[in-house]
Amino acid sequence: MRRFFYQLYIIGLISALLLTGCNSSKRVTDTEDSGPLSLNDQVVLQLQDEAIAKLYAALAEGGEQCTASLAERLADPEEYYYYFCGDLDSREKLTAYFRTSYTEAVVSEMLDTYPIKVINDKLAFLPYEVGSMLEWEEAKVIEITDFEEKSEITFEVPDVDGETEVIKVDAVYEDIDGKWKLDTVPWEYI
């Protein structure tokens, strides 16, 4: 029963994130001629929104292009592992998916520490069981501090009780694809 309510919570959270436009990649754009997109409040909030949406889509639902429901993809009924959807059914696909929002080091740490395993020659995951009490859709950027190799973003994020938390997340600009990426493992602050 607890799992059912958790799944309802996650579905609601993902729906809310999608409805608020967190998955939109067109809010802020960059051009090849302009050089690096400066890290400002709008860019930071978009990056954070996209990263959270990717985290929940991959590790709570198993992907964005599923042909079967989560219940139909049960791989191990004793430990509650589920198969990933076709769009994320390999470590390479997961890495590429997360690399659009996170640095290589963070993605590597996420995939090395998260409960993912192969069952019947298919990649399976234990659904992300931690729902955030933070309301990231209401987050505000307090400060962006630039260092030589990275920038530190300080957010003020309200929680469901109306309190606010100050959270610091690192970001790095990667020349290889001309994008800012989060350089902090998400479960450290979600």
Side-chain angles (χ1 to χ4, degrees):
M1 189 66 148
R2 186 175 138 239
R3 179 171 291 283
F4 172 75
F5 286 116
Y6 168 73
Q7 288 175 341
L8 282 177
Y9 172 77
I10 292 299
I11 290 168
L13 181 62
I14 291 170
S15 298
L17 289 170
L18 292 175
L19 287 174
T20 60
C22 68
N23 211 16
S24 170
S25 60
K26 296 186 179 176
R27 288 200 300 195
V28 178
T29 59
D30 191 358
T31 64
E32 290 182 29
D33 298 339
S34 67
L37 184 62
S38 65
L39 196 57
N40 60 42
D41 291 10
Q42 186 179 8
V43 171
V44 166
L45 291 171
Q46 178 181 338
L47 179 59
Q48 184 65 23
D49 286 349
E50 290 172 355
I52 289 172
K54 284 186 180 299
L55 176 73
Y56 283 112
L59 300 180
E61 292 299 316
E64 295 178 3
Q65 300 171 3
C66 300
T67 58
S69 71
L70 188 63
E72 294 172 313
R73 292 182 283 123
L74 183 62
D76 182 345
E78 291 181 18
E79 294 186 30
Y80 295 102
Y81 273 81
Y82 294 83
Y83 293 120
F84 280 96
C85 305
D87 59 327
L88 299 178
D89 62 358
S90 71
R91 187 173 173 99
E92 293 77 21
K93 289 179 183 178
L94 277 169
T95 298
Y97 182 73
F98 283 129
R99 282 288 287 128
T100 62
S101 296
Y102 299 98
T103 62
E104 185 174 350
V106 167
V107 171
S108 181
E109 183 176 344
M110 288 168 63
L111 297 182
D112 288 345
T113 61
Y114 197 80
I116 296 172
K117 64 183 179 178
V118 176
I119 301 174
N120 298 324
D121 295 327
K122 293 182 179 180
L123 199 60
F125 69 105
L126 190 62
Y128 190 63
E129 293 265 341
V130 179
S132 178
M133 300 302 283
L134 299 173
E135 296 181 343
W136 277 98
E137 65 276 1
E138 301 296 323
K140 292 181 175 54
V141 178
I142 298 174
E143 181 178 21
I144 299 171
T145 307
D146 294 321
F147 296 101
E148 194 169 311
E149 297 291 320
K150 66 179 180 176
S151 292
E152 182 182 76
I153 305 146
T154 305
F155 292 98
E156 183 179 76
V157 187
D159 66 20
V160 295
D161 295 325
E163 302 292 321
T164 58
E165 286 191 39
V166 174
I167 297 172
K168 295 184 182 214
V169 177
D170 292 333
V172 174
Y173 184 81
E174 293 188 345
D175 289 324
I176 193 163
D177 59 359
K179 285 185 68 177
W180 284 95
K181 309 284 180 74
L182 296 181
D183 195 37
T184 304
V185 177
W187 33 82
E188 290 181 12
Y189 59 88
I190 299 254

